[in-house]
Amino acid sequence: MTIKTDQRNNFNNFIDGEWVEGSSGNVITNYNPANIEEVVGSVPESTEEDLDRAVESAKQALSSWKGLTGAARGQYLYKVADILESRTEDIAETMTREMGKTYPEAKGETARGVAILRYYAGEGMREVGDVIPSTDKDALMFTTRSPLGVVGVITPWNFPVAIPLWKSAPALIYGNTVVIKPASEAAVTCAKVVDCFKEAGVPKGIINMVTGPGSVIGERIATHKDVKGISFTGSNKVGKHIGQQALSKGAKYQLEMGGKNPVIVAEDADLDLAVEATISGGMKSTGQKCTATSRVIVHSSVYETFKEKLLHKVQEIKVGNGMEDDSWMGPSVSENQLHTVLHYINEGKEEGGKLLTGGHRLTDGDYAQGYFVEPTVFENVSSDMTIAQEEIFGPVLALMKVDNLEEAIEIANDVEYGLSASIFTTNIQKMLAFMEHMDAGLVRVNAESAGVELQAPFGGMKSSSSHSREQGQAAKEFFTNIKTVFVK
Ligand code: NAD
């Protein structure tokens, strides 16, 4: 029997300050990945025509929005933050039911969204330029910043509140207008965030949301001549394609993509701390974070002890529906993602990895209606194996044994990605060597690989990013153009 959702979870597109039906009349219906008989809600399967209307609305809104003071724009963001905060429970529950992460994690992410809005609201009153001494004594030279114009925001499903906000809030505070295309898998949650902007009474057209397939709506954002900036988070394959489209039309772009994040456990590490952090980094959100721990590179002298402690804790993980109090890890987001994870587990086995625990889909009892997979740990993994190279996006850890730090860092760097990396050690020399030689945008010491602070720059090295950074003050670099002004 299909459990029907509350009608309030059926959303339209948000264009020019109104919720409007998609022109195709078709909708995308989302089901709970913990119980696929439960309908969560729906959004339109939009067409290019809908996207064009949203871009036109954002374009019309631009001049009056950028004409406001930063402080006035900030007041709107403070209001949106208050409304989002007051709706935390509902939005977090929708997130859990729509994409599977546990309710406490979903609440934490919503609180993060509120903090992001407040951080950027305050930015409206901070400096935007520098005075630079001119070589001409009669001249004043300084820099100021102007917005890019209409910005397209294309987001993944794994952080459906935080990512749309960490892109849209800075875009708006610096005077851009926004068209968001959320990932379909979590678009109802994103619609609820956009509804907070409507409730706050923001001027029409400054923020729009159009849902639908990436190959139609995302593609149109990437190629539309009036979209002057594109901020994308998602997979490498799609990101590279968007970057090429943006480059060919001369738009500014920012791509945040995948990771294959290592944790190094040195011989002098606090092993209990390392175990806790490895599990938290690798298994929370079902391993579906770009910063999730995937490879665990352990010194041979502590390998067996670490392994034993890790397996003990992994086997205690309670998998279940994220709305249940005792669930620590929810399902994979979709059938597709579940099959991807199972495919990688199979590859791991076929290429000679030894499965220590997990490795199967859970199908008994309450698990039968969801996309649940066991927390999984492999050993005997070498760096050339598929599970040591490709992003899995599931609760799968690969243990690798090394004899010294040099070897550990070499293996840690031996992937195309460079998003985040951790080391566990009590030795300052090892910490410093790791910080210096690890090729990752986020380098963490005695802390899990996942963990991003909204006031600090975030982004990857190598194929993990287009080498720009987002969040914190870095967002200003992307969402504005610098003008150097010379006055004589
Ligand atoms: P995805 O690349 O499949 O989709 C991301 C977005 O792009 C979605 O909105 C999708 O509809 C859209 N899209 C798809 N095809 C498109 C096209 N041809 N043109 C334009 N847009 C298109 O990624 P996903 O499965 O939603 O998310 C998982 C990926 O996101 C993982 O690789 C993960 O590492 C990455 N991610 C990275 C970060 C980061 O900050 N580095 C954060 C979260 C997730």
Side-chain angles (χ1 to χ4, degrees):
M1 182 194 73
T2 303
I3 306 163
K4 283 277 183 212
T5 186
D6 186 327
Q7 288 297 310
R8 286 173 301 181
N9 281 359
N10 296 334
F11 278 89
N12 285 324
N13 288 322
F14 190 66
I15 300 175
D16 210 30
E18 301 294 336
W19 290 107
V20 290
E21 277 180 26
S23 58
S24 76
N26 299 331
V27 297
I28 298 166
T29 302
N30 282 348
Y31 297 84
N32 185 342
N35 174 8
I36 53 170
E37 294 193 339
E38 181 187 327
V39 178
V40 176
S42 67
V43 292
E45 187 181 324
S46 310
T47 63
E48 291 182 346
E49 192 186 311
D50 301 318
L51 191 273
D52 291 353
R53 284 187 57 205
V55 173
E56 185 54 30
S57 159
K59 195 176 163 191
Q60 293 304 325
L62 199 54
S63 86
S64 59
W65 180 246
K66 71 180 181 188
L68 293 179
T69 61
R73 291 193 293 265
Q75 283 308 317
Y76 283 115
L77 295 192
Y78 280 125
K79 231 183 198 176
V80 179
D82 291 345
I83 293 163
L84 178 65
E85 193 168 42
S86 71
R87 296 180 180 183
T88 297
E89 278 79 14
D90 177 56
I91 290 178
E93 182 179 334
T94 306
M95 192 191 313
T96 297
R97 292 174 59 217
E98 191 174 33
M99 55 70 69
K101 79 171 61 170
T102 63
Y103 183 63
E105 283 189 83
K107 268 177 95 171
E109 183 184 335
T110 310
R112 163 77 61 102
V114 172
I116 289 167
L117 282 159
R118 291 187 178 140
Y119 176 88
Y120 285 110
E123 276 305 291
M125 293 185 74
R126 297 205 180 92
E127 71 283 357
V128 288
D130 301 306
V131 175
I132 300 152
S134 170
T135 52
D136 183 337
K137 70 176 174 51
D138 297 323
L140 168 66
M141 188 163 66
F142 61 95
T143 61
T144 184
R145 288 176 184 262
S146 45
L148 307 180
V150 176
V151 166
V153 163
I154 304 176
T155 57
W157 45 263
N158 63 342
F159 287 95
V161 170
I163 296 181
L165 284 175
W166 84 45
K167 295 176 184 298
S168 303
L172 289 169
I173 200 68
Y174 298 122
N176 303 280
T177 57
V178 170
V179 178
I180 304 179
K181 196 250 98 34
S184 300
E185 292 88 336
V188 174
T189 307
C190 185
K192 289 195 169 186
V193 174
V194 170
D195 195 54
C196 297
F197 285 82
K198 180 169 169 56
E199 183 68 22
V202 301
K204 64 178 190 176
I206 66 144
I207 186 160
N208 304 269
M209 183 192 78
V210 179
T211 56
S215 55
V216 179
I217 307 304
E219 191 79 26
R220 184 72 174 162
I221 288 180
T223 52
H224 198 297
K225 69 174 176 29
D226 291 331
V227 176
K228 303 295 184 192
I230 300 166
S231 183
F232 167 86
T233 296
S235 62
N236 281 48
K237 185 166 164 261
V238 174
K240 278 182 187 158
H241 172 68
I242 289 176
Q244 280 157 358
Q245 306 273 34
L247 191 65
S248 61
K249 70 171 183 177
K252 196 169 178 182
Y253 64 94
Q254 171 183 58
L255 314 170
E256 292 305 334
M257 300 173 285
K260 187 69 189 169
N261 313 296
V263 159
I264 295 176
V265 182
E267 63 273 39
D268 47 39
D270 175 336
L271 292 187
D272 292 322
L273 180 69
V275 164
E276 281 296 328
T278 301
I279 292 174
S280 179
M283 309 283 183
K284 272 210 171 135
S285 287
T286 323
Q288 300 172 129
K289 293 184 187 176
C290 52
T291 50
T293 301
S294 174
R295 299 172 296 144
V296 192
I297 305 166
V298 187
H299 192 276
S300 51
S301 65
V302 292
Y303 183 87
E304 289 303 326
T305 318
F306 177 85
K307 180 173 100 181
E308 201 177 298
K309 284 174 182 275
L310 183 81
L311 290 180
H312 180 71
K313 289 268 181 187
V314 166
Q315 282 155 358
E316 281 180 350
I317 290 176
K318 172 77 177 76
V319 180
N321 185 324
M323 285 309 295
E324 283 162 16
D325 284 345
D326 60 345
S327 293
W328 191 89
M329 190 182 104
S332 292
V333 70
S334 63
E335 191 170 12
N336 250 347
Q337 191 60 38
L338 173 77
H339 286 303
T340 302
V341 175
L342 295 173
H343 160 78
Y344 278 116
I345 291 172
N346 203 37
E347 289 276 297
K349 288 192 281 194
E350 283 190 354
E351 292 180 15
K354 181 176 168 199
L355 194 57
L356 293 173
T357 189
H360 307 98
R361 180 177 183 173
L362 289 159
T363 50
D364 288 350
D366 286 348
Y367 293 129
Q369 300 305 325
Y371 303 129
F372 294 99
V373 62
E374 291 173 324
T376 298
V377 182
F378 276 97
E379 72 171 348
N380 288 353
V381 178
S382 58
S383 198
D384 56 348
M385 285 168 53
T386 309
I387 60 165
Q389 289 293 323
E390 295 182 14
E391 185 180 48
I392 299 174
F393 237 51
V396 181
L397 294 170
L399 296 185
M400 302 159 98
K401 201 191 290 184
V402 292
D403 290 323
N404 55 56
L405 184 64
E406 210 177 27
E407 192 190 345
I409 294 176
E410 195 181 315
I411 289 176
N413 279 330
D414 183 29
V415 288
E416 66 165 312
Y417 297 103
L419 188 54
S420 79
S422 292
I423 189 168
F424 286 83
T425 178
T426 49
N427 178 303
I428 187 86
Q429 299 301 338
K430 290 198 177 92
M431 292 177 193
L432 292 171
F434 174 74
M435 288 178 225
E436 185 177 347
H437 300 296
M438 187 67 228
D439 296 332
L442 198 63
V443 170
R444 293 165 62 84
V445 178
N446 294 326
E448 67 176 75
S449 66
V452 173
E453 299 216 20
L454 62 100
Q455 71 279 26
F458 174 60
M461 290 168 69
K462 302 196 277 183
S463 292
S464 288
S465 127
S466 56
H467 312 291
S468 47
R469 292 288 179 270
E470 47 185 358
Q471 301 200 66
Q473 293 300 301
K476 185 159 53 183
E477 298 308 322
F478 180 72
F479 288 110
T480 61
N481 281 316
I482 295 180
K483 264 184 203 165
T484 302
V485 183
F486 184 86
V487 186
K488 177 132 180 172

